[in-house]
Structure formats: C-alpha cells, structure tokens
Amino acid sequence: MPEHSTTVRDVAALKVARVGRVEKSDDPLQPFRLLDADGTEVAAVSEFLHHMLADDASPTSLRSYAYELLAWVRFLRAVDVPWHLASRVEARDFALWLKTTKKPPRRRRPDAPAPGSVNPVTGKAAPGENYAARTRRHARAVIRSFDEYHRETHGRPLINPFPQGGAADEGNPNAHHNPMKPFRQPPRRAPTSPRSPSRPRGSFLTRRSTTCSPG
C-alpha cells in the first residue's frame, strides 16, 4: 500500500505582492471600496461592506474590514486560489504567513523604543516588527465574517475556511459576527486563531494592584 504523502506549501518562500488598494468614496452607502490588482472593484467585498453598513458598522470599521480583506485577496492571488474556493489549507497558510511576515517599514523617530521592547514603567510593549496577535485575530474574524455572509447568502464557499471555535459552522449564534463587537457567547479558541498574549510579569498594573490593595 503506498505511503500517504502530503504537499505542504512553502509559506516562507511565498511572494505576496502589495497590489490592489482600498479606495475612499463620497458615497455614504459605500464609503470604501476594495480594488484588485487591475483596478477593478471586488464586488463580493463591496456587497459584504454594504451588509455590514446595514448592520450599523461605522465608516471607520468598514475601512478596517476593507484593509483586512485586501490582505486576504493579496494572499490568495499569490497562491492562485479564488476566494470562494479557498479551503482550510489556505486559512492555515494565511495564518502562518501573517504570523511570520514583517509589517511594511515605517519611519521611526531616532528616540523611539526598539520594536517589541517593553516599557519598564507601564509594562506595555512597543509595536513589534511582526503583526501582533490582536491584529491577526481581527483579520481572521473579518475574513470569517465575509465568508460566512457569502456562504449563507449565496451558498459559497461551501465550507467556511475559518471555522468557529466551540461550535459547528452551521447554525452558530455568531454568524455574520461584527468583528468590532463582542461575541454573544464567546467560544473556545478556534483553529488558526492566535492565542491571547499573557501580560508580562512585574508590569505596572500588577505592581499597582499589589501596592495599592487595601489593608
């Protein structure tokens, strides 16, 4: 019997081009649009953003959703997979890519703290060179909501590539969940969802609660 073999995508060698863009408009019913590498509006994203606007999402939230979906569209273009055919393999590889890729370089002040360093007084970490877990969780939530909307409205994708933690995709109470709002019933951590980072020991808040406790 032949040995089972699996081809694993080399995410480290993947070249994700920074093509496409998010465009602001003067249309109050469509304040932001996602344009692909050819400058064509991505209709599936526009429909989702229109749905989220009807769900009382703010323009700031819609802008955030559009940029998260831009990263997903760029990644899928690099692996040559249409969004409605993306599987949990693509979801896994996107999570790995987002975890390991470095953010675009930004101009920093000469006296700015080193990326990822922790302030000894406040215990707060400076932004690192890679995307933080919170950012990656938000990206996952947005893309899952996008896919879930289209899965229930149009029947594709057949299976959401980003499964919900603690419940089956079908009939869960957080379908079309607004990533800017809390879950109604927070489930356990979903597959490919980053873990919440623990607070550094000896941080300002920890010392303050110990020093200022009554008695």
Side-chain angles (χ1 to χ4, degrees):
M1 187 174 181
E3 184 179 357
H4 174 72
S5 62
T6 304
T7 301
V8 178
R9 183 180 287 129
D10 187 357
V11 176
L14 197 61
K15 302 297 183 183
V16 179
R18 296 178 59 78
V19 294
R21 67 185 189 276
V22 173
E23 181 180 79
K24 184 178 180 180
S25 76
D26 296 326
D27 184 353
L29 296 179
Q30 191 179 11
F32 294 95
R33 300 189 305 161
L34 176 57
L35 306 182
D36 64 14
D38 300 323
T40 304
E41 180 178 354
V42 182
V45 173
S46 294
E47 181 181 340
F48 171 70
L49 295 179
H50 194 69
H51 166 77
M52 294 306 296
L53 180 64
D55 198 32
D56 208 27
S58 69
T60 301
S61 297
L62 296 178
R63 179 180 181 274
S64 174
Y65 303 161
Y67 273 105
E68 301 294 11
L69 290 167
L70 175 60
W72 179 233
V73 167
R74 285 172 171 173
F75 176 83
L76 292 177
R77 182 177 184 271
V79 299
D80 196 25
V81 175
W83 71 266
H84 61 281
L85 297 181
S87 69
R88 293 186 177 174
V89 171
E90 279 69 52
R92 176 201 65 195
D93 291 347
F94 177 74
L96 287 172
W97 174 76
L98 203 61
K99 180 178 181 178
T100 56
T101 192
K102 293 185 181 300
K103 294 183 290 188
R106 299 173 57 186
R107 295 185 61 182
R108 302 175 63 248
R109 303 191 318 269
D111 61 340
S117 60
V118 178
N119 187 307
V121 177
T122 64
K124 184 177 180 180
E129 294 181 334
N130 296 83
Y131 292 102
R134 179 175 60 182
T135 301
R136 291 182 279 124
R137 282 197 302 273
H138 181 256
R140 186 191 188 282
V142 169
I143 301 167
R144 175 184 158 72
S145 295
F146 166 76
D147 283 325
E148 194 65 13
Y149 165 77
H150 282 284
R151 189 182 73 84
E152 292 200 348
T153 305
H154 303 295
R156 61 177 192 173
L158 295 177
I159 297 176
N160 197 315
F162 296 89
Q164 179 67 59
D169 288 340
E170 295 78 8
N172 76 79
N174 289 304
H176 313 317
H177 169 245
N178 185 334
M180 291 299 185
K181 297 179 181 179
F183 285 99
R184 284 177 288 172
Q185 296 178 358
R188 66 173 183 267
R189 189 175 67 88
T192 71
S193 179
R195 297 179 184 276
S196 300
S198 57
R199 180 177 295 278
R201 292 185 178 182
S203 68
F204 172 77
L205 293 178
T206 303
R207 294 199 304 272
R208 186 175 185 274
S209 61
T210 301
T211 306
C212 300
S213 59

PDB file of all heavy atoms in Angstrom, residues 35 57 83-84 141:
ATOM      1  N   LEU A  35     -10.284  47.570  -4.477  1.00  0.00           N
ATOM      2  CA  LEU A  35      -9.924  47.403  -5.880  1.00  0.00           C
ATOM      3  C   LEU A  35      -8.810  46.372  -5.990  1.00  0.00           C
ATOM      4  O   LEU A  35      -7.875  46.371  -5.187  1.00  0.00           O
ATOM      5  CB  LEU A  35      -9.460  48.728  -6.476  1.00  0.00           C
ATOM      6  CG  LEU A  35     -10.420  49.921  -6.325  1.00  0.00           C
ATOM      7  CD1 LEU A  35      -9.834  51.153  -7.007  1.00  0.00           C
ATOM      8  CD2 LEU A  35     -11.799  49.596  -6.886  1.00  0.00           C
ATOM      9  N   ALA A  57     -22.403  49.110  11.160  1.00  0.00           N
ATOM     10  CA  ALA A  57     -20.956  49.299  11.265  1.00  0.00           C
ATOM     11  C   ALA A  57     -20.613  50.738  10.883  1.00  0.00           C
ATOM     12  O   ALA A  57     -21.219  51.317   9.979  1.00  0.00           O
ATOM     13  CB  ALA A  57     -20.223  48.327  10.341  1.00  0.00           C
ATOM     14  N   TRP A  83     -11.213  33.363  -4.040  1.00  0.00           N
ATOM     15  CA  TRP A  83     -11.649  33.467  -2.649  1.00  0.00           C
ATOM     16  C   TRP A  83     -12.732  32.447  -2.309  1.00  0.00           C
ATOM     17  O   TRP A  83     -12.748  31.890  -1.209  1.00  0.00           O
ATOM     18  CB  TRP A  83     -12.126  34.889  -2.341  1.00  0.00           C
ATOM     19  CG  TRP A  83     -13.431  35.269  -2.979  1.00  0.00           C
ATOM     20  CD1 TRP A  83     -13.628  35.918  -4.163  1.00  0.00           C
ATOM     21  CD2 TRP A  83     -14.747  35.014  -2.460  1.00  0.00           C
ATOM     22  NE1 TRP A  83     -14.965  36.077  -4.431  1.00  0.00           N
ATOM     23  CE2 TRP A  83     -15.681  35.535  -3.393  1.00  0.00           C
ATOM     24  CE3 TRP A  83     -15.229  34.390  -1.305  1.00  0.00           C
ATOM     25  CZ2 TRP A  83     -17.059  35.461  -3.205  1.00  0.00           C
ATOM     26  CZ3 TRP A  83     -16.605  34.310  -1.111  1.00  0.00           C
ATOM     27  CH2 TRP A  83     -17.504  34.839  -2.048  1.00  0.00           C
ATOM     28  N   HIS A  84     -13.656  32.171  -3.253  1.00  0.00           N
ATOM     29  CA  HIS A  84     -14.759  31.268  -2.938  1.00  0.00           C
ATOM     30  C   HIS A  84     -14.340  29.802  -2.971  1.00  0.00           C
ATOM     31  O   HIS A  84     -15.137  28.932  -2.604  1.00  0.00           O
ATOM     32  CB  HIS A  84     -15.934  31.499  -3.893  1.00  0.00           C
ATOM     33  CG  HIS A  84     -15.610  31.251  -5.329  1.00  0.00           C
ATOM     34  ND1 HIS A  84     -14.940  32.163  -6.111  1.00  0.00           N
ATOM     35  CD2 HIS A  84     -15.866  30.185  -6.130  1.00  0.00           C
ATOM     36  CE1 HIS A  84     -14.801  31.676  -7.332  1.00  0.00           C
ATOM     37  NE2 HIS A  84     -15.347  30.478  -7.366  1.00  0.00           N
ATOM     38  N   ALA A 141     -11.231  37.225  12.111  1.00  0.00           N
ATOM     39  CA  ALA A 141     -12.653  37.451  12.374  1.00  0.00           C
ATOM     40  C   ALA A 141     -13.338  38.123  11.190  1.00  0.00           C
ATOM     41  O   ALA A 141     -14.464  37.776  10.827  1.00  0.00           O
ATOM     42  CB  ALA A 141     -12.824  38.287  13.640  1.00  0.00           C
TER      43      ALA A 141
END
